Amino acid sequence: KMAADIFPRKKPANTNTTAVQQYHQQNLNNNNTIPAPNWQGLYPTIRERNAVMFNNDLMADVHFVVGPPGGTQRLPGHKYVLAVGSSVFHAMFYGELAEDKDEIRIPDVEPAAFLAMLKYIYCDEIDLAADTVLATLYAAKKYIVPHLARACVNFLETSLSAKNACVLLSQSCLFEEPDLTQRCWEVIDAQAELALKSEGFCDIDFQTLESILRRETLNAKEIVVFEAALNWAEVECQRQELTATIENKRKVLGKALYLIRIPTMALDDFANGAAQSGILTLNETNDIFLWYTAAKKPELQFVSKPRKGLVPQRCHRFQSCAYRSNQWRYRGRCDSIQFAVDKRVFIAGFGLYGSSCGSAEYSAKIELKRQGVILGQNLSKYFSDGSSNTFPVWFEYPVQIEPDTFYTASVILDGNELSYFGQEGMTEVQCGKVTVQFQCSSDSTNGTGVQGGQIPELIFYA
């Protein structure tokens, strides 16, 4: 991603465009020479002339051999430019302990990441990619280039999801980035089951595994936590070049096994899952069965207190509700509303109105979209008791919602045609620390809008 918004690049005035493009290509290819006698005249600003020197052997007074053995790349540098961009380079070239070396080996930084850092120092351009951003962050931290490091963290926060949250948690702790760590925990807590089932979970280090298994606010069934830990153990065996036997899986898990709150599982999950996995000893299995069934419970090494999980918040957008003899009817039509938030949240479900004519059961197809793309949907049933209360309908997994973008919440109901409906709708609702804005949706074909209708509540984690 080119950060043109942060560092806008001016177009050269009265410049030979062909020549500029030629030199730019030479620059990228690390060409040793610039043949034109007056190349400086092609660029009106010192910034642009300085950028020509990026990855260019012309006037280079130092070279870096970057990358691990077998994957190195030799890159040119200019001490003055580098020293102006980094205090580490300044100490390296001009400090009291400076060494006059023509070639410097850097085996712990990837060539692509080092080039990204040099591009920032020379060109004031931030060029980040998903597959190199962590390595670039490492380089920026190593050479104390704080603005590039901040851009890397912002990039990671923007691309943060349940798929990569566990890996980024591990890296954020390594790089001592508390804000990124907090963002990772928010995603892992709210979308715990997705995060635990992701491939990235198996790539984390043991310390991160322990911190996740200890997490009090993890919003997941304990059987999912157990299965994720076994998957991690299998991959860890491969990393340690061990055969993935039951004994070796237990060995690599070590004391972390007892952080899994097996006694808090549903009895069916334990009996059909953990008890038959082979990872527990016979005594442990027997003791846990007794824990479920006996009045006098045995002492266990496993944590037996359920996790607190997360408490969902409810954003109610109507000030009152009503019912009439001819409203609210459902004949396969869609009730829909658009909303936007000012902070990242995770939509867990919707609160819906029920029957105004006594107890009734509804079938509800709920859906969440962004710019026409379905992010989450579920088909379920709920029972209404005839009151004007709202009744929750849940997505299979919470859906991550980014700030300052409108999303579409929709529901198609099938059941008793007459139900309560909301009135005196609000365009903006403050719910805790989150501000939610509402606007009408073109998908709504059953009358729901900002002022009245269905979908009175958004249920979310924040």
Side-chain angles (χ1 to χ4, degrees):
K1 178 183 177 182
M2 297 288 287
D5 294 338
I6 305 175
F7 304 110
R9 188 178 181 85
K10 296 179 181 178
K11 294 183 179 179
N14 302 319
T15 298
N16 185 325
T17 304
T18 304
V20 172
Q21 290 175 343
Q22 175 188 354
Y23 297 147
H24 180 62
Q25 189 60 45
Q26 289 174 339
N27 166 266
L28 291 176
N29 293 341
N30 190 16
N31 200 312
N32 289 338
T33 60
I34 294 184
N38 186 28
W39 63 268
Q40 293 92 338
L42 297 173
Y43 301 92
T45 68
I46 185 64
R47 177 181 174 276
E48 290 170 308
R49 292 192 292 275
N50 203 52
V52 173
M53 294 295 99
F54 163 61
N55 196 23
N56 197 319
D57 264 311
L58 183 68
M59 296 184 284
D61 52 0
V62 67
H63 284 81
F64 302 94
V65 180
V66 185
T72 60
Q73 188 172 345
R74 194 170 186 268
L75 303 172
H78 307 79
K79 292 180 180 179
Y80 166 73
V81 178
L82 295 169
V84 169
S86 160
S87 60
V88 174
F89 283 130
H90 182 273
M92 186 185 297
F93 300 135
Y94 301 108
E96 294 180 359
L97 301 177
E99 296 183 21
D100 189 18
K101 291 183 178 180
D102 293 332
E103 190 172 273
I104 298 172
R105 295 188 175 274
I106 307 176
D108 60 329
V109 178
E110 294 179 13
F114 197 78
L115 270 171
M117 181 180 68
L118 292 185
K119 189 170 187 178
Y120 170 74
I121 291 174
Y122 278 80
C123 310
D124 268 356
E125 293 180 5
I126 298 178
D127 192 357
L128 300 176
D131 55 346
T132 58
V133 64
L134 282 171
T136 304
L137 176 59
Y138 175 77
K141 287 278 189 175
K142 178 177 180 178
Y143 292 97
I144 311 179
V145 186
H147 296 293
L148 178 60
R150 185 66 251 169
C152 291
V153 171
N154 290 339
F155 183 97
L156 291 169
E157 288 181 355
T158 301
S159 59
L160 183 61
S161 70
K163 292 181 179 180
N164 60 19
C166 295
V167 172
L168 292 184
L169 174 68
S170 177
Q171 297 298 322
S172 68
C173 296
L174 177 66
F175 293 132
E176 297 181 343
E177 286 290 344
D179 290 344
L180 180 58
T181 300
Q182 178 59 31
R183 295 286 186 275
C184 291
W185 278 126
E186 289 172 3
V187 174
I188 293 169
D189 281 343
Q191 296 183 300
E193 295 195 359
L194 285 175
L196 293 170
K197 292 177 181 179
S198 68
E199 291 183 9
F201 178 79
C202 295
D203 296 330
I204 61 177
D205 57 87
F206 183 77
Q207 185 177 356
T208 305
L209 173 72
E210 283 189 309
S211 66
I212 292 175
L213 295 182
R214 283 196 181 96
R215 190 74 175 170
E216 194 65 42
T217 47
L218 210 59
N219 197 37
K221 295 178 181 177
E222 206 63 30
I223 186 63
V224 176
V225 179
F226 177 80
E227 291 170 350
L230 290 192
N231 291 337
W232 179 90
E234 184 170 347
V235 175
E236 181 64 15
C237 284
Q238 296 173 11
R239 283 192 285 264
Q240 297 187 23
E241 299 182 349
L242 299 172
T243 305
T245 61
I246 294 297
E247 292 76 16
N248 284 336
K249 288 181 184 179
R250 180 159 180 139
K251 176 183 176 182
V252 298
L253 280 171
K255 293 182 179 180
L257 177 65
Y258 297 109
L259 298 175
I260 306 171
R261 307 187 184 195
I262 295 177
T264 69
M265 290 182 186
L267 180 56
D268 285 349
D269 288 341
F270 173 70
N272 297 315
Q276 299 188 43
S277 66
I279 202 76
L280 303 177
T281 66
L282 184 59
N283 285 340
E284 287 170 344
T285 303
N286 288 339
D287 284 347
I288 294 172
F289 267 122
L290 287 173
W291 173 269
Y292 282 106
T293 57
K296 184 180 180 180
K297 300 184 184 299
E299 291 188 7
L300 300 175
Q301 287 184 274
F302 294 93
V303 179
S304 57
K305 183 181 178 181
R307 300 179 196 273
K308 293 179 180 177
L310 295 176
V311 178
Q313 299 183 46
R314 293 179 178 240
C315 175
H316 196 92
R317 66 188 189 93
F318 295 125
Q319 298 180 69
S320 65
C321 68
Y323 70 91
R324 299 191 186 116
S325 60
N326 61 343
Q327 289 182 313
W328 200 262
R329 293 184 178 275
Y330 305 103
R331 294 175 180 172
R333 291 190 293 260
C334 179
D335 287 288
S336 183
I337 192 72
Q338 289 193 331
F339 69 93
V341 294
D342 64 343
K343 294 180 177 62
R344 174 183 284 164
V345 300
F346 302 85
I347 296 292
F350 305 147
L352 303 177
Y353 287 123
S355 171
S356 59
C357 303
S359 300
E361 186 178 67
Y362 286 89
S363 174
K365 179 184 178 182
I366 59 173
E367 192 173 80
L368 197 55
K369 295 190 296 186
R370 177 182 179 181
Q371 297 176 346
V373 178
I374 296 175
L375 305 177
Q377 60 181 187
N378 199 19
L379 180 63
S380 62
K381 294 183 178 181
Y382 69 96
F383 180 80
S384 69
D385 58 9
S387 71
S388 60
N389 296 331
T390 58
F391 302 92
V393 179
W394 307 95
F395 289 105
E396 184 178 5
Y397 301 110
V399 180
Q400 182 170 311
I401 301 297
E402 297 300 330
D404 306 321
T405 300
F406 273 95
Y407 292 77
T408 303
S410 301
V411 61
I412 297 176
L413 288 171
D414 183 22
N416 192 318
E417 286 194 351
L418 297 178
S419 79
Y420 289 91
F421 60 92
Q423 296 184 133
E424 300 178 281
M426 296 174 283
T427 58
E428 184 173 298
V429 180
Q430 188 70 33
C431 191
K433 296 181 179 181
V434 180
T435 302
V436 187
Q437 292 181 319
F438 294 96
Q439 68 181 25
C440 293
S441 167
S442 58
D443 291 349
S444 190
T445 58
N446 199 42
T448 287
V450 172
Q451 295 301 316
Q454 260 285 8
I455 319 181
E457 286 181 338
L458 301 177
I459 306 173
F460 64 94
Y461 302 115

